[in-house]
Amino acid sequence: MSTGETFNPILPLDTTAVWELLGELPFGRLAVQAAGMVDIFPVNYVAKDRKLYFRTAQGTKLASLVVNNHVAFEVDRVVGDHVQSVVVHGRARRLETQAERDAAEQLPLKPWAPTYKYHFVVIDVDSATGREFTMTTEPDHDPA
């Protein structure tokens, strides 16, 4: 490293790697905001055509999306000491038309919990960014 350069141990993932990770991982966390509260829900999902799909039952998650459809979604993969993380921002909406629901029924999207989840939701992605790093100890001092 030459004088003046700083080492950044956190590397960005390119768009291809971000969508590959979203396509490989079956589980993430959905962040919603309604009535001044932020909440996070674990969901299993499917990535298809640069959109994220999940199923849900009637309740807080679905009600929150009606009040404020702006959401964040996050996934992580940790293998040994290597970490990859992706954050998605977008707008969630319940699939309303029969054609949309029929198409969603063809996705490999089955509830993990033994509950009835009749509502399909899609996240129309506005941005998807990721990063990766290797876990290690904190540096001895801040170079700044």
Side-chain angles (χ1 to χ4, degrees), residues 49-99:
D49 299 330
R50 303 251 170 153
K51 296 174 187 281
L52 304 179
Y53 295 84
F54 65 92
R55 291 171 64 167
T56 189
Q58 194 71 31
T60 306
K61 189 183 326 164
L62 193 58
S64 295
L65 299 177
V66 171
V67 172
N68 182 354
N69 71 342
H70 293 274
V71 299
F73 187 83
E74 191 263 347
V75 298
D76 295 305
R77 175 167 49 203
V78 180
V79 177
D81 62 356
H82 187 250
V83 178
Q84 292 177 300
S85 182
V86 168
V87 174
V88 170
H89 291 98
R91 291 158 286 105
R93 63 182 173 84
R94 187 172 70 177
L95 299 183
E96 297 289 344
T97 70
Q98 190 61 49

Side-chain angles (χ1 to χ4, degrees), residues 6 14 64 93 108 115 124 127 139:
T6 59
D14 65 26
S64 295
R93 63 182 173 84
T115 58
D124 294 310
S127 68

Side-chain angles (χ1 to χ4, degrees), residues 13-135:
L13 294 175
D14 65 26
T15 301
T16 300
V18 164
W19 282 100
E20 284 175 0
L21 193 63
L22 286 166
E24 293 170 11
L25 299 177
F27 174 82
R29 285 157 297 283
L30 175 73
V32 300
Q33 180 181 13
M37 295 288 295
V38 176
D39 213 342
I40 297 175
F41 299 95
V43 297
N44 61 305
Y45 74 99
V46 170
K48 182 173 176 17
D49 299 330
R50 303 251 170 153
K51 296 174 187 281
L52 304 179
Y53 295 84
F54 65 92
R55 291 171 64 167
T56 189
Q58 194 71 31
T60 306
K61 189 183 326 164
L62 193 58
S64 295
L65 299 177
V66 171
V67 172
N68 182 354
N69 71 342
H70 293 274
V71 299
F73 187 83
E74 191 263 347
V75 298
D76 295 305
R77 175 167 49 203
V78 180
V79 177
D81 62 356
H82 187 250
V83 178
Q84 292 177 300
S85 182
V86 168
V87 174
V88 170
H89 291 98
R91 291 158 286 105
R93 63 182 173 84
R94 187 172 70 177
L95 299 183
E96 297 289 344
T97 70
Q98 190 61 49
E100 287 178 317
R101 289 192 303 271
D102 289 346
E105 284 282 355
Q106 301 307 309
L107 297 173
L109 190 57
K110 304 298 179 212
W112 285 4
T115 58
Y116 296 107
K117 297 186 177 186
Y118 296 117
H119 303 283
F120 286 94
V121 176
V122 63
I123 299 173
D124 294 310
V125 176
D126 294 325
S127 68
T129 59
R131 60 190 191 156
E132 66 183 331
F133 57 92
T134 300
M135 288 187 275

